[in-house]
């Protein structure tokens, strides 16, 4: 069977959930027995989002092979339950870097290098790598941004060419648009959708399907109108009203008949009947009223929740497993340094300190870690959150007054977190951290080992600094347990406190491997401890019986 491609373009405005739509459709196709792969094309010129501020770009999602990718990859992995690889995300920057290095090597033998064909060929080559490396039957490709952006033009041109090259019957264009609501007249407007389809047509692409995103119900008549003006089948106009339950979207797509229509258009027949039992149970569970517990997420980019997308999702997954609803309190770490936000911290059932870079706000996170340790509030530290938990322990339990990470204070007398040896000589910032999947051995009879109930794990990393082994013995004597180590014993991967209900920090990022139906053990551990502290959830129920 030839590889089938579904290309997703965006119209009107960005951030209307193109990635989630692609991921959810991917899931409905996987349910029909197909091997599905997804790819995101990012039109910006950065080589990857690894060096971009989370304010600009949201979270950097790290894959098994260490690729630092767009946060949409997180949606793909969580919805379709796949493990993506480096080929699943590329940027204009990567495309140009490749072409320019070839040119410098003299590979073009004096030829003039142009957007068409050189850039577009490189784009097509990279799309082709997905079926080549995954063997996928269906490849879903999402183009970042909105039609009309200067940056995305070469991508759209490449897709247009690809349609002819692989055969029109093997390609489907899905255009995701937004229907604005006019409050004064109380109606939804289709005109911007019409314009964005016209813009797409002017570059030679006619969409086969339109997903009309909206915050309000979209009636039949409106769909008819979109079908008529945008020249698609009425069946091919799928209204998609914003759902408060993210994981309901695959079910909504199923109900709208989108997967069957897509298969028909691609000349495919389902290999099996979709089985939504587990997913329906999950959504029903999400919707069920449950006791609420609150968890403070103490970060420095908290204004933009997307910066902690996977952490938020992992908390939600774990809450489901613990039978509670989690209310995330977004606390700005710098506020805690200015005596603000403590009213929130004092009333939460758990604290999460996520990853981060640079010194801004770290003292506030250290204060939060101290509060969690002293008041016995369940705490989970993710990467930087683990490092700061160790710094706090060094300062206040071991009396190392200026304990710090050399990332923030090079002259500290107690650099309990220090640069990894391999990192010392590196001068380039992009893609040079300890990235991707590494094994970790769990020490028996620890909170970590209990949470995982296995001895060997593999988790995704993204850091330069690590726990300084000079201090291991002193920390252990004072009550810290290094419950996860690299197999050679040289690197601390998980630290936890002995006399505390749950104070655990991991040098890796567990949030990237959490799935809605397979919550991450370390998050479940946190949530259970938090639920217990609040006197709700599973444990309580068991003791009530
Ligand atoms: N800045 C720290 C380091 O590089 C932590 C990184 C992180 O939290 N991802 O080691």
């Amino acid at each position: 069977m030839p590889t089938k491609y579904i290309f997703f373009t965006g119209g009107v405005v960005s951030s209307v959930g193109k990635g989630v739509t692609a991921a959810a459709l991917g899931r409905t196709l996987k349910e029909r027995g197909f091997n599905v792969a997804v790819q995101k094309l990012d039109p910006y010129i950065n080589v990857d989002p690894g060096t971009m501020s989370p304010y600009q770009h949201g979270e950097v999602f790290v894959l098994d092979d260490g690729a630092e990718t767009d946060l949409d990859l997180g949606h793909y992995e969580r919805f379709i339950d796949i493990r993506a690889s480096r080929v699943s995300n590329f940027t204009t920057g990567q495309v140009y870097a490749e072409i320019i290095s070839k040119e410098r090597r003299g590979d073009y033998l004096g030829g003039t290098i142009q957007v068409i064909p050189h850039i577009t060929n490189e784009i097509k080559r990279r799309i082709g790598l997905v079926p080549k490396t995954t063997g996928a039957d269906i490849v879903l490709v999402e183009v970042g941004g909105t039609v009309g952006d200067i940056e995305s033009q070469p991508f759209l041109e490449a897709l247009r060419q690809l349609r002819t090259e692989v055969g029109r019957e093997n390609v489907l264009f899905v255009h995701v648009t937004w229907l604005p609501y006019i409050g004064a007249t109380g109606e939804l407007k289709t005109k911007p959708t019409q314009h964005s389809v016209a813009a797409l047509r002017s570059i030679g692409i006619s969409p086969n399907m339109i997903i009309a995103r909206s915050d309000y119900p979209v009636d039949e008549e409106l769909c008819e109108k979109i079908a008529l003006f945008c020249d698609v089948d009425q069946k091919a106009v799928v209204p998609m009203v914003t759902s408060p339950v993210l994981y309901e979207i695959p079910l909504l797509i199923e109900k709208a008949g989108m997967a069957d229509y897509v298969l028909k258009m691609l000349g495919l027949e389902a290999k099996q009947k979709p089985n939504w039992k587990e997913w329906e149970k999950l959504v029903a569970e999400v919707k069920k009223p449950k006791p609420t517990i609150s968890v403070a997420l103490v970060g420095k980019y908290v204004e933009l929740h997307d910066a902690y997308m996977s952490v938020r999702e992992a908390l939600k997954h774990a809450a489901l497993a613990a039978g509670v609803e989690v209310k995330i309190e977004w606390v700005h770490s710098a506020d805690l340094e200015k005596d603000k936000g403590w009213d929130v911290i004092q009333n939460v059932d758990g604290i999460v300190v996520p990853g981060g870079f640079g010194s801004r706000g770290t003292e506030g996170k250290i204060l939060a870690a101290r509060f969690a340790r002293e008041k016995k509030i369940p705490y989970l530290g993710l990467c930087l959150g683990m490092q700061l938990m160790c710094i706090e322990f060094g300062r206040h339990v071991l009396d190392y007054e200026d304990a710090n990470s050399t990332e923030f204070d090079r002259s500290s007398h107690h650099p309990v977190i220090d640069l990894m040896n391999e990192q010392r000589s590196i001068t380039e910032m992009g893609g040079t951290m300890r990235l991707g999947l590494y094994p970790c051995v769990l020490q028996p009879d620890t909170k970590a080992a209990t949470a995982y109930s296995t001895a060997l794990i593999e988790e995704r990393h993204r850091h330069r600094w690590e726990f300084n082994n000079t201090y291991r013995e002193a920390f252990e004597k004072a009550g810290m347990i290094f419950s996860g180590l690299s197999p050679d014993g040289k690197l601390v991967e998980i630290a936890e406190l002995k006399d505390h209900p749950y104070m655990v920090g991991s040098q890796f990022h567990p949030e990237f491997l959490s799935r809605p139906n397979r919550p991450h053990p370390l998050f479940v551990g946190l949530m259970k401890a938090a639920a217990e502290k609040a006197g709700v959830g599973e444990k309580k129920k068991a003791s009530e019986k």
Side-chain angles (χ1 to χ4, degrees):
M1 172 184 126
T3 311
K4 304 284 181 175
Y5 292 92
I6 306 175
F7 297 136
F8 288 80
T9 55
V12 185
V13 283
S14 63
S15 308
V16 297
K18 205 173 354 126
V20 170
T21 308
L25 178 67
R27 179 75 203 204
T28 63
L29 297 172
K30 185 184 176 185
E31 284 296 328
R32 285 164 169 75
F34 294 101
N35 180 356
V36 178
V38 195
Q39 186 183 43
K40 170 89 191 273
L41 317 187
D42 278 311
Y44 53 74
I45 298 172
N46 304 61
V47 169
D48 61 42
T51 52
M52 285 162 90
S53 158
Y55 280 133
Q56 297 268 321
H57 193 269
E59 161 186 280
V60 174
F61 191 80
V62 182
L63 305 181
D64 286 349
D65 60 12
E68 298 173 272
T69 70
D70 185 74
L71 53 75
D72 274 329
L73 273 286
H75 291 311
Y76 306 159
E77 288 205 342
R78 287 187 285 268
F79 276 92
I80 313 176
D81 201 1
I82 46 171
R83 303 274 281 247
S85 82
R86 189 169 293 281
V87 300
S88 324
N89 187 204
F90 70 88
T91 69
T92 296
Q94 278 172 35
V95 171
Y96 272 83
E98 177 102 20
I99 298 291
I100 290 169
S101 78
K102 275 191 184 164
E103 186 271 343
R104 292 289 85 182
R105 271 204 317 258
D107 287 8
Y108 295 106
L109 306 172
T112 305
I113 301 159
Q114 294 175 297
V115 172
I116 305 173
H118 299 95
I119 296 296
T120 47
N121 282 352
E122 176 60 16
I123 293 171
K124 288 186 287 182
R125 184 187 74 81
R126 284 171 178 260
I127 295 172
L129 289 177
V130 179
K132 222 181 249 170
T133 56
T134 61
D137 310 313
I138 306 175
V139 180
L140 294 93
V141 181
E142 178 193 350
V143 186
T146 4
V147 169
D149 299 343
I150 288 181
E151 284 95 342
S152 60
Q153 276 181 16
F155 288 99
L156 296 172
E157 169 60 16
L159 298 186
R160 188 194 65 76
Q161 294 174 12
L162 206 65
R163 182 184 55 185
T164 324
E165 287 170 18
V166 303
R168 280 166 191 267
E169 67 285 6
N170 298 321
V171 171
L172 209 66
F173 276 95
V174 177
H175 190 53
V176 183
T177 75
W178 178 251
L179 306 180
Y181 178 80
I182 309 295
T185 51
E187 49 175 357
L188 289 168
K189 290 295 194 185
T190 67
K191 190 70 83 192
T193 296
Q194 297 175 38
H195 279 302
S196 76
V197 170
L200 202 51
R201 287 234 201 88
S202 72
I203 51 176
I205 296 170
S206 287
N208 304 92
M209 284 190 98
I210 294 185
I211 313 278
R213 286 275 299 106
S214 159
D215 277 341
Y216 297 87
V218 183
D219 61 29
E220 279 281 318
E221 225 176 288
L222 219 59
C223 291
E224 271 170 39
K225 194 171 165 186
I226 294 171
L228 180 72
F229 281 104
C230 301
D231 198 25
V232 292
D233 290 351
Q234 205 190 315
K235 265 198 172 153
V237 179
V238 182
M240 190 63 60
V241 181
T242 307
S243 166
V245 181
L246 186 67
Y247 296 108
E248 192 173 19
I249 296 170
L251 299 179
L252 297 177
I253 284 190
E254 180 67 48
K255 216 161 119 198
M258 192 171 164
D260 291 330
Y261 184 80
V262 162
L263 291 189
K264 196 175 126 216
M265 296 296 283
L266 289 173
L268 293 174
E269 271 194 38
K271 296 181 184 178
Q272 65 186 44
K273 267 183 115 174
N275 177 359
W276 291 107
K277 266 202 195 111
E278 199 189 354
W279 205 273
E280 278 165 354
K281 208 175 124 211
L282 178 93
V283 172
E285 217 31 63
V286 175
K287 290 184 171 174
K288 215 165 80 186
K290 292 176 284 294
T292 303
I293 63 156
S294 56
V295 171
L297 198 150
V298 184
K300 73 171 175 180
Y301 307 109
V302 288
E303 301 89 337
L304 184 72
H305 296 184
D306 276 7
Y308 303 106
M309 174 93 79
S310 296
V311 179
R312 184 183 62 191
E313 291 310 307
L315 282 170
K316 287 200 221 157
H317 304 161
L320 272 186
V324 295
E325 175 88 45
V326 59
K327 179 171 189 304
I328 300 177
E329 300 282 3
W330 303 85
V331 177
H332 211 297
S333 49
D335 280 354
L336 298 178
E337 297 164 13
K338 293 178 256 162
D339 274 343
K340 282 200 299 193
W342 285 99
D343 48 331
V344 179
I345 294 281
Q346 270 150 6
N347 289 305
V348 292
D349 306 307
I351 295 175
V352 173
V353 175
F357 296 84
S359 64
R360 186 169 65 88
T362 49
E363 289 301 321
K365 292 178 186 172
I366 291 173
L367 292 172
R370 180 176 193 176
F371 187 79
R373 182 177 55 78
E374 291 180 345
K375 305 284 181 210
K376 304 228 183 287
I377 317 280
Y379 173 100
L380 180 62
L382 312 168
C383 203
L384 179 67
M386 172 266 197
Q387 298 176 352
L388 297 175
M389 159 184 156
C390 294
I391 293 170
E392 189 281 319
F393 191 85
R395 284 189 196 173
H396 307 115
V397 177
L398 287 158
D399 288 331
Y400 301 154
E401 220 172 285
D402 73 341
N404 218 329
S405 162
T406 49
E407 180 179 6
F408 316 126
D409 179 4
R410 276 170 196 245
S411 59
S412 163
H413 293 98
H414 292 99
V416 297
I417 304 295
D418 202 3
L419 212 50
M420 294 190 279
N421 269 336
E422 321 75 276
Q423 291 287 339
R424 290 187 197 274
S425 53
I426 292 171
T427 49
E428 294 233 334
M429 291 304 279
T432 54
M433 283 183 267
R434 181 170 181 242
L435 288 164
L437 217 54
Y438 284 92
C440 163
V441 179
L442 302 177
Q443 309 308 306
D445 302 322
T446 56
K447 291 198 177 70
T450 313
Y452 279 97
S453 48
T454 173
L456 183 71
I457 55 165
E458 280 194 307
E459 294 279 0
R460 293 177 177 175
H461 295 246
R462 182 172 184 247
H463 65 114
R464 283 182 217 284
W465 276 264
E466 62 167 317
F467 186 83
N468 183 345
N469 288 331
T470 324
Y471 293 96
R472 260 206 225 174
E473 219 184 299
F475 272 62
E476 276 171 338
K477 274 196 186 136
M480 188 171 271
I481 303 168
F482 298 112
S483 49
L485 299 174
S486 57
D488 62 6
K490 286 189 180 148
L491 300 178
V492 169
E493 301 284 31
I494 308 178
E496 61 183 70
L497 284 198
K498 208 186 271 169
D499 300 316
H500 192 285
Y502 193 87
M503 186 142 190
V504 179
S506 67
Q507 187 55 83
F508 48 81
H509 289 272
E511 66 270 26
F512 296 138
L513 292 183
S514 181
R515 298 282 188 271
N517 55 347
R518 244 179 301 117
H520 192 283
L522 291 184
F523 279 87
V524 176
L526 170 82
M527 208 53 77
K528 286 194 172 154
E532 196 169 342
K533 179 187 172 291
V536 297
E538 307 272 274
K539 278 235 159 137
K540 176 77 187 223
K541 268 188 257 155
S543 63
E544 272 171 356
K545 275 180 200 159

